[in-house]
Amino acid sequence: MTQTFAASPPLHDVSLREEVNARLRDVPDFPKPGILFKDMTPVLADPRLLGRVVDAMAAPFQGQHITHVVGIEARGFLLGAPLALKLQAGFVPARKPGKLPARTRTERYSLEYGEDGLQMHEDALAAGARVLIVDDLLATGGTAAAAGRLVAQLGGELVGYSFLIALDFLPGRERLGRDKVHALLSY
Ligand code: AMP
């Protein structure tokens, strides 16, 4: 796959994008044939780089009065919790069905074969919550859209989505609304 950066990133982001791009590990045919898996674990293992990534993913949402960051299981937890701290917001997990212990709400979404779901605790968002949804990667947008519907079910206002990576040859941005999506890297 040809890897290109998004058109005209802000100048101060260019070196960060290049560093992250160099550290992401491409794993072909994982978890199934035809998928080029973008492995972010080398970024997590570098505290200096991770700190800069979290700052850059939070930056567009500073001053937007985010009260809650919803992280999508599982890599969205790893980026979402430090982002919540950075934005001085609460962290809320959106988990695969059957993992959360208290009363939940569910949204289902389709996969290539079959379907999956996400759940949140039904009392997870306070009235007037202004929510940022976080995950490592945006592909078709089905997962993040389900998280967005959960936020709406729970009465939250969805301010936007922050991803480390967006695969722009897939329709994720259109599906979620271009103005709502921020991604540090685009391929
Ligand atoms: P989608 O619902 O199609 O946007 O898929 C996004 C979810 O699947 C995210 O939680 C990603 O972590 C994961 N995912 C999809 N494609 C990839 C990929 N190529 N590399 C790493 N994770 C992926």
Side-chain angles (χ1 to χ4, degrees):
M1 180 180 22
T2 313
Q3 298 187 343
T4 53
F5 295 122
S8 307
L11 275 180
H12 63 273
D13 276 357
V14 172
S15 69
L16 176 59
R17 285 165 199 246
E18 284 172 353
E19 276 184 57
V20 173
N21 181 53
R23 297 296 277 285
L24 290 170
R25 177 166 48 193
D26 287 350
V27 183
D29 299 321
F30 183 88
K32 54 185 182 182
I35 304 287
L36 182 65
F37 191 86
K38 308 294 286 187
D39 175 24
M40 61 172 282
T41 59
V43 176
L44 296 176
D46 179 337
R48 198 185 55 87
L49 188 58
L50 178 61
R52 291 168 65 209
V53 163
V54 167
D55 287 354
M57 288 178 67
F61 301 97
Q62 294 280 10
Q64 296 214 39
H65 309 291
I66 301 295
T67 61
H68 297 75
V69 170
V70 169
I72 299 176
E73 183 166 356
R75 290 178 294 279
F77 299 169
L78 304 173
L79 294 170
L83 237 96
L85 278 176
K86 181 83 194 167
L87 293 169
Q88 296 180 287
F91 176 78
V92 175
R95 298 210 63 179
K96 296 291 168 62
K99 303 280 190 180
L100 287 169
R103 287 173 63 95
T104 56
R105 296 289 184 88
T106 305
E107 282 289 339
R108 306 223 151 259
Y109 56 95
S110 5
L111 300 171
E112 201 176 341
Y113 300 103
E115 59 164 35
D116 208 340
L118 280 179
Q119 293 184 327
M120 284 169 59
H121 277 145
E122 65 179 14
D123 62 355
L125 299 179
R130 287 177 54 80
V131 179
L132 173 66
I133 292 175
V134 172
D135 204 357
D136 64 328
L137 185 141
L138 172 64
T140 66
T143 313
R149 291 195 302 276
L150 269 177
V151 167
Q153 257 205 64
L154 299 186
E157 182 184 345
L158 178 59
V159 177
Y161 300 86
S162 192
F163 299 94
L164 178 62
I165 302 159
L167 302 182
D168 280 343
F169 51 88
L170 293 170
R173 277 187 204 261
E174 279 66 36
R175 192 162 178 180
L176 302 180
R178 283 195 161 269
D179 55 329
K180 286 226 178 311
V181 175
H182 175 264
L184 186 61
L185 289 172
S186 300
Y187 294 103

